[in-house]
């Protein structure tokens, strides 16, 4: 491992930015895509973690000013690259991807015209922390554009000039998002046009966003623009394109955004080559659908865009999946390299009057340069119960922590206020200092006089000083009312329950079992496999039945898995770490205990009522077609014509989501038919072909094999008639501009994927479902494989339609997320949780209804039966229940009414 | 009253979004009038209507709840 020097020690750097302010160098800000400048001492972006500066030695002139002004003495010019060797049992590659560089090709006119931007530059322009502070301007003359065009598939789905044949998966969605945000940021009625080939909004809730964008007036034009020309010296751009109807149009735009795709990083390719890991022809890591995060080298795993182009949710799923895969091989050495922290016995301060100590930070000159710190410190000393005040150059430095701890002991302080930066970054560190000398960590409060005072009122030192005094007074008022709080620790039962024995559920169960946890796998039907029993091949051409047979065998021989077939879950009690579930197996009831649960109840195929389905054996659904393919039905040798109709039951007003997998499935089946019978005429009637990612190459192969793709619109859907024993599909071809009739021997309907809408199960775990019946994950981007309810996880079709490889990845991801809980052995509550006084509770149930984490429940027995009670383990301390409680029965430790009211009256 | 009128504002900011946004405004050195006082809550849903009234009673011209 080689670490490059940053010339500023991140452990010492306080993120004050003094070095960047004095730096005389101006360099190009790469993060803002060159639209902005920065100093040679810089931080890449304002949200960077750690918030520590570095020196770009390529542009640094070595003047030494930064070293001189750095009061933290963090600057060191003589740092050299360092090498380190670490012993690891597994490696995960997640180097990400690069954006395609359109400068390579002159037809995009990217470097030629200043108002032709990449989508990444547009992201920076729209960002509040970007080069124009989020004001929509074009670079040429800083005028607000009135008309913007987005050009899709730049560097993707295009082989003309050695760019990439695959679809980059993310550009359609980000372009719609940019257009929507640009409209929000614009002061005029901004005209946005997106030029595309197929609109690929295949992700969860993406299709709804697309529909919303259409409603908001964004123009979607299906055309590939062939030339971009600047009009004189106006900076305006003329685009020439041909409409679907054949009309040539010349339209002027103020700005053009090139929706650039993703490509593997050169450095990542080099890394893979050095490690001897196989890449595919696109230079992505070669993986299989069976093991989507395994590389060709054992013990090395991959996740994210180096595995193939993908969006954030899928990258997060794979990240967890790679962690699970690594965890499986490392399970035996878990916790062998950890250290326990020595605990100091807690001081009992109950009954003592508050003795408040206030530490005011100068933060070098960051605070002291604006705020009169000695004045604030002197003022703090006049406040009630304050017995000790001081100021520090850097309150957060390690030696100051020792000083604070010593002061707490010597002065018998029992409440601490630090007036410095943000509690979001520094509260845990100061709390550790309190804990280290036996003071309960909740007897602490911060006054944010840097981020929210000196930095933002630099031009008004007197008022900034007044504000700092107010903020300190508010913090002192609150901390005086704070009490020591307890954090309860509960054991996590070292076992799991996985509901659903399909691909996702089995993968999840195997992941848990192989990491050493006893797992109950519950399957409603008498056999494992779920929908995979009906599937023929994956997108990469792997036989699903072989994959399934191996997986079932692995499940059956896995010692840690207890299989419950023909079983339903009839009740669930308890909470994270401590669930008890009732099972019903063939009329017999049983009970199991488990610490976590995974919901993988899958989905099923829509049974169409349209297109004459059920009236002729030649009209089949996708799964029925796959059954014929699995059985190698002789019909495929005989048929002259096959027709596929896409979006059957999907992307409709009453089912407004895209089922994601049907395009790839039909294309793959069409290829299969062509292979068995090259003379057959195969037609795919579609609204958009959504073969995202490297599946696009399958679409290309299908076109090369002669499969014909005919587009239809939702207002002019195909019609199917059965006449004289013939199945005839009638549709309108918009390119030919005339109606078509196809007599077919086989009509396959690409039917929607529906969720198993198990409302009862949702209630058992108190988890939510969206209007389409799919479960709602904790966070659409960052928590795709878990619920907001602690200890309950999610994978497979129950989350959203997905392919076999994606179900496997999410099954692994759910296992990984669950293991993070199981492996800790205990769950610790926060001290700052809500509690209910049952004497005041009126049993109205509002708290039960409003809590997003299912923490309140009605007591079923005892003296207070019928009253509500909050489970501190599940409470996140948000306080929604407190402000909603009509009876005033709920209090929130750490943010209680009297504490907040004290702050208001001190404000 | 020769100076420009600047309303005194009491703000309740959600720890996870608006408060982080106010911190980021600082990191980005965005300048705004020093008449805002912030109270951090773990969720804007914690803000009791009573707090708004108490804010006005304490002499604030405006109360800002963001989350």
């Amino acid at each position: 491992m080689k670490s490059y020097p940053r010339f500023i020690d991140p452990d010492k750097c306080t993120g004050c930015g003094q070095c960047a302010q004095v730096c005389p160098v101006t360099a190009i800000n790469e993060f803002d895509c060159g639209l902005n400048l920065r100093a040679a001492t810089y931080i890449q972006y304002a949200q960077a973690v750690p918030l520590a500066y570095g020196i770009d030695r390529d542009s640094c002139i070595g003047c030494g000013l930064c070293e001189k002004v750095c009061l933290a003495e963090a600057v060191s010019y003589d740092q050299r690259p360092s090498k380190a060797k670490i012993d690891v049992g597994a490696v995960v590659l997640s180097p990400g991807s690069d954006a395609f560089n359109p400068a390579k090709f002159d037809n995009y006119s990217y470097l030629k015209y200043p108002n032709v931007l990449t989508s990444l530059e547009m992201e920076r322009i729209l960002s509040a922390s970007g080069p124009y502070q989020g004001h929509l301007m074009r670079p040429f003359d800083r005028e607000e554009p009135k008309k913007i065009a987005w050009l899709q598939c730049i560097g993707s789905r295009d082989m003309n000039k050695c760019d990439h044949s695959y679809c980059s998966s993310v550009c359609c969605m980000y372009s719609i998002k940019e257009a929507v945000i640009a409209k929000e940021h614009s002061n005029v009625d901004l005209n946005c046009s997106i030029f595309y080939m197929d609109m690929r909004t295949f992700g969860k809730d993406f299709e709804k966003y697309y529909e919303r964008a259409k409603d908001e007036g964004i123009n979607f034009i299906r055309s590939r623009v062939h030339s971009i020309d600047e009009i004189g010296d106006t900076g305006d751009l003329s685009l020439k394109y041909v409409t679907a109807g054949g009309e040539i149009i010349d339209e002027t735009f103020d700005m053009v955004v090139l929706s650039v795709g993703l490509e593997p990083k050169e450095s990542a390719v080099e890394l893979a080559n050095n490690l001897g890991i196989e890449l595919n022809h696109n230079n992505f890591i070669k993986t299989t659908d069976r093991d989507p995060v395994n590389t060709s080298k054992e013990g090395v795993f991959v996740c994210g865009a180096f595995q193939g182009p993908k969006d954030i949710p899928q990258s997060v799923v794979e990240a967890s999946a790679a962690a699970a895969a690594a965890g499986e091989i490392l399970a035996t050495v878990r916790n062998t390299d950890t250290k326990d922290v020595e605990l100091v016995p807690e001081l009992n301060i109950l009954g003592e009057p508050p003795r408040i100590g206030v530490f005011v930070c100068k933060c070098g000159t960051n605070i002291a340069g604006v705020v009169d710190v000695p004045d604030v410190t002197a003022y703090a000393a006049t406040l009630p119960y304050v017995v000790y005040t001081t100021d520090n150059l850097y309150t957060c430095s390690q030696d100051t922590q020792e000083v604070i701890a010593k002061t707490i002991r010597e002065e018998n302080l029992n409440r601490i206020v630090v007036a410095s930066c943000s509690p979001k970054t520094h509260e845990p560190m100061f709390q550790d200092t309190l804990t280290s000398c036996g003071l309960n960590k909740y007897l602490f409060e911060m006054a944010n006089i840097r981020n929210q005072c000196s930095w933002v009122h630099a031009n008004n030192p007197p008022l900034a000083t007044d504000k700092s005094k107010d903020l300190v007074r508010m913090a002192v008022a609150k901390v005086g009312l704070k009490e020591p709080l307890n954090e309860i620790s509960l054991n996590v039962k070292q076992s799991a329950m996985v509901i659903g024995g399909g691909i996702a559920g089995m993968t999840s169960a195997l992941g848990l079992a192989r990491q050493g946890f006893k797992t109950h796998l519950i399957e409603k039907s008498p056999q494992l496999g779920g929908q995979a029993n009906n599937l023929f091949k994956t997108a990469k051409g792997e036989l699903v039945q072989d994959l399934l047979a191996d997986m079932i065998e692995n499940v059956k021989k896995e010692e840690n898995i207890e299989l419950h077939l023909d079983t339903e879950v009839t009740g669930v009690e308890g909470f994270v770490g401590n669930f008890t579930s009732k099972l019903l197996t063939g009329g017999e009831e049983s009970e199991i205990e488990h610490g976590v649960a995974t919901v993988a109840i899958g989905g099923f195929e829509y049974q169409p009522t349209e297109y004459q389905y059920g009236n002729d054996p030649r009209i089949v659904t996708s799964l029925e077609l796959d059954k014929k393919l699995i059985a190698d039905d002789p019909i495929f040798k005989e048929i002259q014509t096959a027709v596929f109709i896409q979006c059957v039951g999907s992307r409709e007003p009453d089912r407004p989501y895209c089922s994601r997998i049907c395009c790839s499935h039909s294309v793959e089946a069409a290829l299969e038919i062509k292979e068995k019978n090259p003379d057959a005429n195969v037609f795919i009637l579609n609204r958009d072909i959504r073969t995202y990612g490297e599946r696009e190459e399958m679409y290309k192969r299908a076109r090369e094999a002669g499969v014909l793709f005919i587009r239809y619109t939702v207002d002019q859907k195909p019609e199917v008639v059965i006449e004289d024993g013939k199945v005839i599909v009638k549709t309108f071809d918009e390119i030919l501009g005339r109606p078509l009739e196809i007599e077919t021997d086989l009509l396959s309907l690409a039917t929607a994927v529906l969720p198993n809408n198990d409302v009862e199960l949702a209630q058992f775990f108190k988890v939510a479902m969206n209007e389409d019946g799919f479960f709602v994950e904790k966070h659409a981007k960052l928590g795709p494989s878990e619920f907001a309810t602690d200890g309950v996880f999610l994978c497979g079709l129950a989350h959203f339609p997905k392919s076999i490889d994606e179900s496997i990845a999410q099954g692994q991801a759910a296992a990984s997320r669950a293991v993070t809980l199981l492996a800790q052995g205990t769950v610790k509550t926060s001290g700052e949780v809500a509690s209910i006084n049952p004497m005041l509770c009126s049993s109205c149930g509002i708290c039960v209804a409003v809590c997003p984490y299912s923490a309140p429940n009605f007591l079923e027995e005892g003296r207070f039966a019928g009253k509500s009670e909050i489970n501190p383990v599940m409470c996140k301390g948000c306080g929604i229940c407190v402000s909603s409680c009509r009876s005033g029965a709920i209090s929130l430790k750490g943010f209680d009414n009297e504490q907040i009211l004290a702050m208001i009256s001190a404000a | 009253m020769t100076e420009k009128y600047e309303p005194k504002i009491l703000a309740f900011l959600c720890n996870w979004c608006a408060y982080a946004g106010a911190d980021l405004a600082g990191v980005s050195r965005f300048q705004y009038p020093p008449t805002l006082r912030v109270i951090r809550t773990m969720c804007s849903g914690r803000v009791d209507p009573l707090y708004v009234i108490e804010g006005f009673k304490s002499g604030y011209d405006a109360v800002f709840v963001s989350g």
Side-chain angles (χ1 to χ4, degrees):
Chain A
M1 236 175 43
K2 186 173 172 187
S3 308
Y4 293 95
R6 50 194 295 159
F7 306 105
I8 295 181
D9 183 347
D11 293 333
K12 287 185 187 163
C13 175
T14 63
C16 77
Q18 204 67 37
C19 51
Q21 274 168 22
V22 299
C23 178
V25 176
T26 41
I28 287 169
N29 185 335
E30 305 90 340
F31 186 74
D32 278 343
C33 304
L35 294 167
N36 211 356
L37 297 170
R38 59 161 171 82
T41 35
Y42 73 113
I43 195 152
Q44 215 175 10
Y45 45 92
Q47 305 94 319
V49 177
L51 192 70
Y53 283 72
I55 301 177
D56 163 17
R57 287 306 292 270
D58 291 337
S59 55
C60 170
I61 54 170
C63 68
L65 275 176
C66 52
E67 190 175 18
K68 218 170 280 172
V69 296
C70 182
L71 294 171
E73 294 176 355
V75 178
S76 146
Y77 289 106
D78 47 13
Q79 274 183 14
R80 293 280 167 270
S82 60
K83 282 191 179 171
K85 211 173 175 179
I86 41 174
D87 287 328
V88 294
V91 177
V92 177
L93 299 179
S94 53
S97 64
D98 266 340
F100 175 79
N101 180 4
K104 289 188 255 185
F105 305 121
D106 58 358
N107 56 323
Y108 298 131
S109 304
Y110 171 58
L111 293 182
K112 208 154 118 201
Y113 307 134
N115 289 334
V116 178
L117 303 167
T118 66
S119 42
L120 216 51
E121 289 172 314
M122 189 63 181
E123 288 284 329
R124 295 313 301 149
I125 288 177
L126 293 171
S127 167
S129 57
Y132 308 151
Q133 283 82 46
H135 297 296
L136 184 61
M137 294 193 287
R138 57 183 204 172
F140 175 64
D141 46 13
R142 306 286 158 103
E143 287 289 323
E144 282 192 18
K146 295 180 186 64
K147 215 172 160 190
I148 309 179
W150 277 260
L151 311 189
Q152 297 309 107
C153 300
I154 303 296
S156 311
R157 303 185 64 191
D158 193 350
M159 296 287 285
N160 287 337
K161 293 197 170 185
C162 304
D163 18 26
H164 303 302
S165 61
Y166 55 81
C167 158
S168 289
S169 296
V170 297
C171 329
C172 281
M173 198 55 196
Y174 76 55
S175 298
I176 302 178
K177 178 206 72 177
E178 285 185 358
V180 168
I181 294 176
K183 268 178 103 69
E184 281 169 7
H185 284 211
S186 177
N187 295 317
V188 296
D189 185 19
L190 185 70
N191 182 315
C192 297
S193 297
I194 298 180
F195 292 85
Y196 69 103
M197 298 200 285
D198 293 283
M199 191 41 64
R200 294 188 166 170
T201 45
F202 54 84
K204 194 173 184 179
D205 289 333
F206 288 7
E207 183 73 12
K208 285 176 205 156
Y209 196 81
Y210 174 32
E211 289 299 322
R212 193 187 114 195
K214 284 197 250 179
D215 290 344
E216 287 182 11
I218 289 163
N219 309 312
F220 290 87
I221 303 166
R222 197 191 291 270
S223 181
R224 224 172 149 112
V225 171
H226 70 72
S227 57
I228 306 172
D229 293 302
E230 204 172 44
I231 303 172
D233 56 1
T234 57
D236 296 346
L237 299 154
S238 132
L239 300 192
K240 284 192 196 70
Y241 62 95
V242 181
T243 64
E247 200 186 341
I248 299 173
I249 295 190
D250 188 339
E251 200 176 345
T252 304
F253 289 89
D254 299 327
M255 235 165 105
V256 169
V257 181
L258 304 175
S259 299
V260 291
L262 310 178
E263 61 185 14
K265 283 182 176 177
E266 271 176 41
S267 58
V269 171
E270 202 180 313
L271 174 70
N273 288 336
N274 288 343
L275 293 172
I277 289 166
E278 233 180 299
L279 300 172
N280 70 13
H281 61 284
N282 290 317
N283 270 347
F284 292 109
I285 297 267
K286 191 171 180 180
T287 57
T288 60
D289 286 335
R290 180 185 281 245
D291 293 306
V293 296
N294 290 31
T295 68
S296 60
K297 197 162 192 167
E298 215 179 331
V300 182
F301 305 97
V302 62
C303 58
F306 196 25
Q307 193 260 14
K310 60 179 61 71
D311 61 1
I312 295 174
Q314 193 57 28
S315 295
V316 172
V317 165
E318 274 177 13
S320 296
E328 281 180 24
I329 51 178
L330 298 175
T332 51
V333 292
R334 183 183 297 128
N335 291 338
T336 52
D337 210 6
T338 52
K339 277 182 204 151
D340 285 330
V341 180
E342 216 176 297
L343 290 177
V344 177
E346 193 170 300
L347 299 168
N348 182 3
I349 61 131
L350 280 180
E352 283 178 22
R355 290 181 59 81
I356 304 174
V358 181
F359 297 83
V360 187
C361 184
K362 292 181 179 167
C363 195
T365 57
N366 272 282
I367 296 170
V370 176
V371 173
D372 186 342
V373 170
D375 189 20
V376 175
T377 313
Y379 172 75
T382 68
L383 295 169
Y385 300 109
V386 172
V387 295
Y388 179 85
T389 56
T390 187
D391 52 34
N392 319 96
L393 185 60
Y394 289 110
T395 312
C396 61
S397 69
Q398 193 46 50
D399 49 332
T400 312
Q401 299 320 297
E402 282 152 29
V403 173
I404 294 175
K406 194 167 150 245
T407 313
I408 290 173
R409 283 190 295 262
E410 286 177 3
E411 303 285 334
N412 286 324
L413 302 179
N414 58 22
R415 305 282 192 288
I416 304 297
V417 170
V418 171
S420 62
C421 46
S422 174
K424 287 201 63 81
T425 52
H426 283 71
E427 189 174 58
M429 192 207 77
F430 289 121
Q431 286 184 326
D432 282 349
T433 304
L434 265 67
T435 311
S436 76
C437 52
L439 201 55
N440 185 283
K441 72 177 201 184
Y442 294 100
L443 299 167
F444 177 75
E445 190 67 23
M446 282 181 85
N448 191 335
I449 63 168
R450 185 182 79 171
N451 296 45
Q452 298 184 10
C453 188
S454 67
W455 275 352
V456 289
H457 311 311
N459 305 325
N460 207 333
L463 287 183
T465 304
D466 287 352
K467 179 174 175 178
S468 300
K469 288 180 185 174
D470 287 358
L471 293 175
V472 169
R473 188 172 64 240
M474 289 158 75
V476 166
K478 183 178 179 186
V479 86
L481 294 168
K482 282 200 156 184
E483 284 172 19
L485 302 179
N486 285 330
E487 292 179 347
I488 312 157
S489 203
L490 287 173
N491 288 334
V492 174
K493 285 178 185 147
Q494 297 293 293
S495 58
M497 171 169 81
V498 177
I499 311 167
I503 288 276
M506 283 194 289
T507 307
S508 195
L510 281 169
L512 287 155
R514 286 171 179 164
Q515 295 198 59
F517 300 100
K518 160 107 185 161
T519 303
H520 297 273
L521 179 58
I522 318 292
E523 169 55 44
K524 199 162 60 172
S525 76
Q527 67 164 347
L528 290 167
Q531 291 300 340
N533 282 307
N534 304 317
L535 292 171
F536 179 50
K537 271 185 185 176
T538 70
K540 285 187 175 144
E542 295 161 35
L543 289 172
V544 176
Q545 297 314 306
D546 290 0
L547 180 160
L548 188 59
D550 291 349
M551 194 181 274
I552 291 174
E553 199 195 320
N554 286 335
V555 165
K556 287 187 172 159
K557 71 177 184 209
E558 174 58 56
E559 282 176 3
N560 277 333
I561 294 180
E562 191 174 321
L563 194 52
H564 304 261
L565 293 174
D566 274 319
T567 302
E568 281 190 68
V569 179
T570 55
V572 178
E573 278 185 9
F575 49 90
V576 53
N578 294 276
F579 290 105
T580 307
S581 294
K582 283 201 181 81
L583 307 179
L584 188 66
T585 313
E588 245 177 75
E589 276 199 0
S590 61
E591 230 177 52
I592 54 168
E593 294 191 337
H594 51 103
V596 297
T598 299
V599 177
I601 59 170
F604 62 98
E605 185 187 44
Y606 167 63
Q607 293 301 301
T609 52
E610 54 265 69
Y611 302 125
Q612 302 273 8
Y613 177 71
N615 296 336
D616 192 289
R618 287 165 291 184
I619 304 174
V620 297
T621 64
S622 297
L623 290 186
E624 287 164 354
L625 177 69
D626 263 24
K627 276 186 205 149
K628 287 182 193 292
L629 285 166
I630 295 169
D632 200 14
D633 196 314
I635 172 183
F636 295 110
K637 296 264 188 269
E638 295 153 18
I639 53 172
Q640 300 300 309
T641 307
V643 176
F644 292 80
I645 300 179
Q646 297 304 110
C647 299
V648 180
S650 305
R651 302 178 67 195
E652 298 274 353
D654 55 345
R655 201 174 295 110
Y657 61 88
C658 162
S659 292
R660 188 178 176 113
I661 50 179
C662 346
C663 279
S664 303
H665 183 269
S666 292
V667 170
E668 182 228 307
L671 270 169
E672 206 63 43
I673 292 171
K674 272 289 196 188
E675 198 172 301
K676 288 179 192 292
N677 185 354
D679 295 330
N681 295 308
V682 182
F683 300 89
I684 299 186
L685 311 189
N686 65 87
R687 290 168 58 189
D688 291 281
I689 287 291
R690 295 183 165 177
T691 43
Y692 56 95
E694 293 180 288
R695 293 164 183 83
E696 176 69 13
E697 292 173 348
M698 200 160 70
Y699 178 29
K700 186 167 159 278
R701 280 206 311 281
R703 294 196 311 270
E704 285 165 356
V707 176
L708 293 175
F709 290 83
I710 301 170
R711 205 169 299 119
Y712 74 88
T713 60
V714 70
D715 349 293
Q716 205 172 5
K717 282 199 239 170
E719 244 182 277
V720 177
V721 288
I722 304 173
E723 264 173 21
D724 308 329
K726 293 172 183 169
V727 176
I728 297 168
V729 182
K730 297 179 180 180
T731 190
F732 184 84
D733 186 323
E734 60 174 358
I735 294 175
L736 295 175
R738 56 166 56 170
L740 290 180
E741 278 190 20
I742 308 163
E743 188 195 326
T744 187
D745 305 317
L746 180 71
L747 173 61
S748 175
L749 304 177
T751 43
V753 178
L754 308 189
N756 277 329
N757 207 338
D758 195 337
V759 179
E760 205 183 17
L761 189 69
Q763 281 165 354
F764 289 160
F765 288 110
K766 301 176 191 76
V767 293
M769 288 189 290
N770 69 12
E771 57 255 48
D772 305 321
F774 292 104
F775 283 109
V776 176
E777 61 276 46
K778 183 178 184 179
H779 190 288
K781 309 281 177 211
L782 305 176
S785 316
E786 59 213 269
F787 286 103
T789 306
D790 280 342
V792 193
F793 304 88
L794 171 66
C795 55
L797 298 183
H799 164 258
F800 196 64
K802 52 179 64 70
S803 56
I804 294 269
D805 57 319
E806 291 167 342
S807 284
I808 290 174
Q810 204 178 18
Q812 288 178 302
S816 170
R817 302 301 302 144
V819 166
T820 55
L821 252 171
L822 291 168
Q824 282 181 13
T826 55
V827 276
K828 214 171 182 189
T829 66
S830 161
E832 290 174 339
V833 290
S835 58
I836 297 181
N837 177 350
M839 301 294 277
L840 295 176
C841 174
S842 63
S843 309
C844 71
I846 285 188
C847 53
V848 179
V850 298
C851 179
Y853 311 104
S854 316
N857 266 309
F858 288 119
L859 286 167
E860 280 175 9
E861 47 198 32
R863 188 180 156 205
F864 294 114
K867 306 281 184 184
S868 186
E869 184 193 47
I870 289 171
N871 183 342
V873 184
M874 295 168 88
C875 178
K876 307 276 181 209
C878 70
I880 294 176
C881 58
V882 190
S883 50
S884 308
C885 180
R886 297 166 184 189
S887 317
I890 313 183
S891 56
L892 175 59
K893 292 166 190 142
F895 288 87
D896 219 346
N897 273 339
E898 52 172 3
Q899 293 164 342
I900 295 176
L901 289 171
M903 286 184 92
I904 298 172
S905 51
Chain B
M1 285 284 284
T2 49
E3 277 178 43
K4 195 175 145 222
Y5 167 70
E6 284 288 358
K8 274 180 71 186
I9 304 168
L10 182 65
F12 293 95
L13 303 185
C14 161
N15 177 62
W16 308 105
C17 53
Y19 192 89
D23 279 349
L24 188 57
V27 176
S28 311
R29 306 296 198 276
F30 290 162
Q31 302 296 303
Y32 57 83
T35 47
L36 178 84
R37 300 292 178 269
V38 172
I39 292 178
R40 180 173 69 118
T41 55
M42 282 297 143
C43 172
S44 49
R46 171 70 186 97
V47 179
D48 198 301
L50 177 70
Y51 300 169
V52 179
I53 294 167
E54 285 298 324
F56 287 125
K57 273 171 67 186
S58 304
Y60 281 86
D61 300 310
V63 177
F64 172 47
V65 181
S66 183

